[in-house]
Amino acid sequence: MPRGDGRLNHDLLPGEKGPQDACGVFGVWAPGEEVAKLTYFGLYALQHRGQESAGIAVSNGSQILVFKDMGLVSQVFDETSLGSLQGHIAVGHARYSTTGASVWENAQPTFRATAHGSIALGHNGNLVNTAQLAEMVADLPRENGRATQVAATNDTDLVTALLAGQTDDDGKPLTIEEAATKILPDVMGAFSLVFMDEQTLYAARDPQGIRPLVLGRLERGWVVASESAALDICGATFVREVEPGELIAIDENGLRSSRFAEAKPKGCVFEYVYLARPDTDIAGRNVYLSRVEMGRKLAKEAPADADLVIATPESGTPAAVGYAEASGIPFGVGLVKNAYVGRTFIQPSQTIRQLGIRLKLNPLKDVIQGKRLVVVDDSIVRGNTQRALVKMLREAGAAEVHIRISSPPVKWPCFFGIDFATRAELIANGMSIEEIGKSLGADSLSYISIDGMIEATTIAKPNLCRACFDGEYPMDLPDPELLGKQLLETELASGHAAADALRRP
């Protein structure tokens, strides 16, 4: 079967790139169940969180087998590959790269031998002290005179190496659970981890709880997943969220919980705006209901004299429903989305590329002709998509185009698992809202306020990370040169001391 190369086709317009999702993680402990297939369908439900690579690791109690490749979950796995993954514990991962290039070596779950067996690990989020972790790996005790090395250039493999290589003060190797208790307090940034050794499934969430992670119950086992929607697809019942700063272990003796850090909740508000599935609940709040309420508040904050409210499908639809409801303007379907455009490994020809957004969306001319439109979308990053959309709607006969955005202007980069454009590329950085509207060719442009967006989530403002909107990060950040997606590739090329841990065997 032909394999993908990790290319995304979000780039339908030259230079355009929307906010790219975090990753999706899934773990299951269930003797007697087909855990590989449960994990496959769990990852299928989380595919929206990462489309570059996918992988599953399974333990049968004595050894761990890992299968991973570039591409979508449905491209990486088939009946044969899933049939080879026999056991009662599994962890799975769907990746979008936030640290490290989109190459096979960086696909997850990561794997490493330990003194007690082996470990496989999947990570959703992004760390901010990656350079420090690389130095910690370089300082691990040498085996047979050789320093510990990692074959990947991502923060996840560094954490895996640290968990696998810990010893006590007498040089005795620690178990995975002991190592996690020791190491996780030193890991800074966003991390929702699922990992396992041959007998035990583990889950851990950073003290801020930036990325979601939930616990579910099967009739004969347990499930952990990035989103509650992934529990639904495999028949698991939602139990609770994994708490910020909590480490969970599940084995034949049941579930046990410990805490490696005090909880300081700062959940990502962009999960409610765009990242998470609408049928997911986060911190007790349904994502779809939050988005509808954002639309209602947007209508009150930024009314428009118009004939029809339409959405940029699919992510703008709930907010458009709320806007129409609160404004009294009818909601209609003015744009049809190609249901299969989300991913392709075929590069379009120049002729097709010139069609740009029409590969993704097509207007219903009879619906929008002569109408004054309110077009609701979830966010604007560079603005190229919205600019092309306004032009297309006008060509289809729209009398007026009023753009309404259900999140505030994105002005700051995210270092916790969302790959936005660089700050210099963000259209809201350096331009007023009126100037942005003129640049897009819209008759008017308005965004929801930060307070309106937060109120729609029903989560207290101090408990949400909103740094991409207001620049208030939930933790201290290192110097800019120690941040960035290609940090470890740069370290390797530089010959820095920490690069010793990154030399490929």
Side-chain angles (χ1 to χ4, degrees):
M1 182 175 69
R3 296 299 185 192
D5 58 5
R7 291 199 303 266
L8 291 172
N9 81 332
H10 290 75
D11 194 4
L12 295 176
L13 299 168
E16 175 66 350
K17 177 182 174 185
Q20 301 302 300
D21 300 357
C23 300
V25 295
F26 188 90
V28 57
W29 186 94
E33 297 283 358
E34 294 183 280
V35 294
K37 286 190 175 180
L38 286 174
T39 305
Y40 171 86
F41 287 112
L43 293 179
Y44 202 82
L46 298 171
Q47 185 72 87
H48 61 288
R49 299 187 70 86
Q51 300 93 39
E52 293 186 3
S53 63
I56 296 174
V58 171
S59 170
N60 60 9
S62 60
Q63 63 179 4
I64 293 176
L65 181 63
V66 182
F67 190 100
K68 59 185 177 181
D69 210 337
M70 306 302 293
L72 297 177
V73 176
S74 60
Q75 292 171 316
V76 171
F77 296 100
D78 56 22
E79 287 281 359
T80 301
S81 57
L82 290 173
S84 68
L85 297 170
Q86 296 293 319
H88 68 285
I89 312 174
V91 298
H93 189 268
R95 183 176 191 249
Y96 177 78
S97 54
T98 49
T99 293
S102 179
V103 294
W104 185 89
E105 287 82 359
N106 286 336
Q108 297 179 36
T110 54
F111 176 85
R112 184 167 287 271
T114 76
H116 299 282
S118 50
I119 178 176
L121 182 147
H123 171 208
N124 169 211
N126 194 60
L127 307 181
V128 297
N129 66 332
T130 301
Q132 176 190 352
L133 297 177
E135 293 177 352
M136 291 169 64
V137 171
D139 291 339
L140 286 174
R142 292 175 175 263
E143 293 184 23
N144 301 320
R146 293 182 59 195
T148 300
Q149 295 180 322
V150 296
T153 52
N154 60 33
D155 48 7
T156 308
D157 212 34
L158 294 173
V159 173
T160 309
L162 288 170
L163 290 174
Q166 293 303 306
T167 60
D168 62 16
D169 294 339
D170 297 325
K172 180 182 177 182
L174 298 181
T175 66
I176 296 299
E177 193 166 349
E178 292 168 339
T181 302
K182 177 180 178 181
I183 287 299
L184 291 179
D186 294 328
V187 180
M188 307 300 295
F191 59 89
S192 287
L193 304 176
V194 293
F195 53 107
M196 68 181 191
D197 55 26
E198 281 77 2
Q199 288 82 35
T200 309
L201 174 68
Y202 302 95
R205 195 173 177 203
D206 65 82
Q208 287 74 31
I210 296 174
R211 297 282 151 236
L213 191 63
V214 296
L215 174 69
R217 192 77 164 98
L218 290 168
E219 185 177 345
R220 293 188 288 181
W222 297 87
V223 176
V224 288
S226 289
E227 297 185 27
S228 60
L231 303 180
D232 299 335
I233 200 173
C234 66
T237 303
F238 175 83
V239 175
R240 64 176 177 86
E241 294 201 344
V242 177
E243 294 294 323
E246 182 183 20
L247 171 65
I248 285 175
I250 301 167
D251 59 19
E252 60 185 3
N253 297 314
L255 182 147
R256 57 187 179 275
S257 169
S258 61
R259 185 163 289 283
F260 61 87
E262 178 187 356
K264 300 177 180 178
K266 286 286 184 181
C268 172
V269 72
F270 210 76
E271 293 279 355
Y272 293 96
V273 171
Y274 172 78
L275 291 183
R277 283 174 52 140
D279 52 343
T280 278
D281 294 341
I282 302 176
R285 174 62 164 169
N286 177 257
V287 170
Y288 176 83
L289 294 181
S290 296
R291 292 173 185 171
V292 172
E293 184 61 23
M294 288 174 195
R296 292 193 190 105
K297 293 185 178 297
L298 180 58
K300 294 175 182 177
E301 292 180 1
D305 190 9
D307 306 308
L308 190 69
V309 176
I310 68 172
T312 302
E314 302 288 338
S315 56
T317 300
V321 170
Y323 192 101
E325 181 183 300
S327 66
I329 303 171
F331 172 80
V333 177
L335 294 164
V336 176
K337 182 179 180 181
N338 180 350
Y340 299 98
V341 79
R343 174 76 172 187
T344 177
F345 294 117
I346 306 301
Q347 290 295 309
S349 68
Q350 182 59 29
T351 300
I352 297 296
R353 189 180 292 279
Q354 286 173 350
L355 295 174
I357 199 169
R358 289 181 187 272
L359 288 171
K360 187 175 185 179
L361 299 171
N362 206 35
L364 284 167
K365 295 181 182 179
D366 291 341
V367 173
I368 66 179
Q369 191 165 19
K371 298 287 196 340
R372 297 170 299 169
L373 302 177
V374 174
V375 183
V376 181
D377 206 347
D378 60 89
S379 60
I380 300 178
V381 180
R382 288 186 176 93
N384 293 342
T385 295
Q386 286 81 8
R387 191 175 296 112
L389 180 60
V390 171
K391 180 182 178 184
M392 184 173 68
L393 291 172
R394 292 200 188 281
E395 290 174 350
E400 296 177 10
V401 180
H402 302 275
I403 295 180
R404 296 294 182 266
I405 305 298
S406 60
S407 65
V410 177
K411 294 184 177 182
W412 301 85
C414 174
F415 301 108
F416 307 110
I418 309 174
D419 189 17
F420 285 119
T422 63
R423 192 168 185 220
E425 295 170 310
L426 295 171
I427 193 171
N429 183 35
M431 292 179 71
S432 68
I433 293 176
E434 184 178 350
E435 288 171 335
I436 297 171
K438 289 181 179 178
S439 168
L440 301 181
D443 291 282
S444 71
L445 166 67
S446 293
Y447 297 80
I448 195 173
S449 66
I450 287 183
D451 287 341
M453 172 188 65
I454 290 173
E455 288 171 9
T457 70
T458 71
I459 308 299
K461 186 174 182 178
N463 291 346
L464 288 172
C465 176
R466 54 200 185 272
C468 56
F469 301 120
D470 63 11
E472 295 183 18
Y473 292 97
M475 64 190 72
D476 293 334
L477 298 174
D479 294 337
E481 62 268 20
L482 297 179
L483 293 167
K485 185 171 180 176
Q486 307 299 327
L487 172 66
L488 294 181
E489 282 91 347
T490 303
E491 287 275 317
L492 188 58
S494 70
H496 187 272
D500 289 343
L502 308 174
R503 304 290 181 194
R504 292 184 180 167

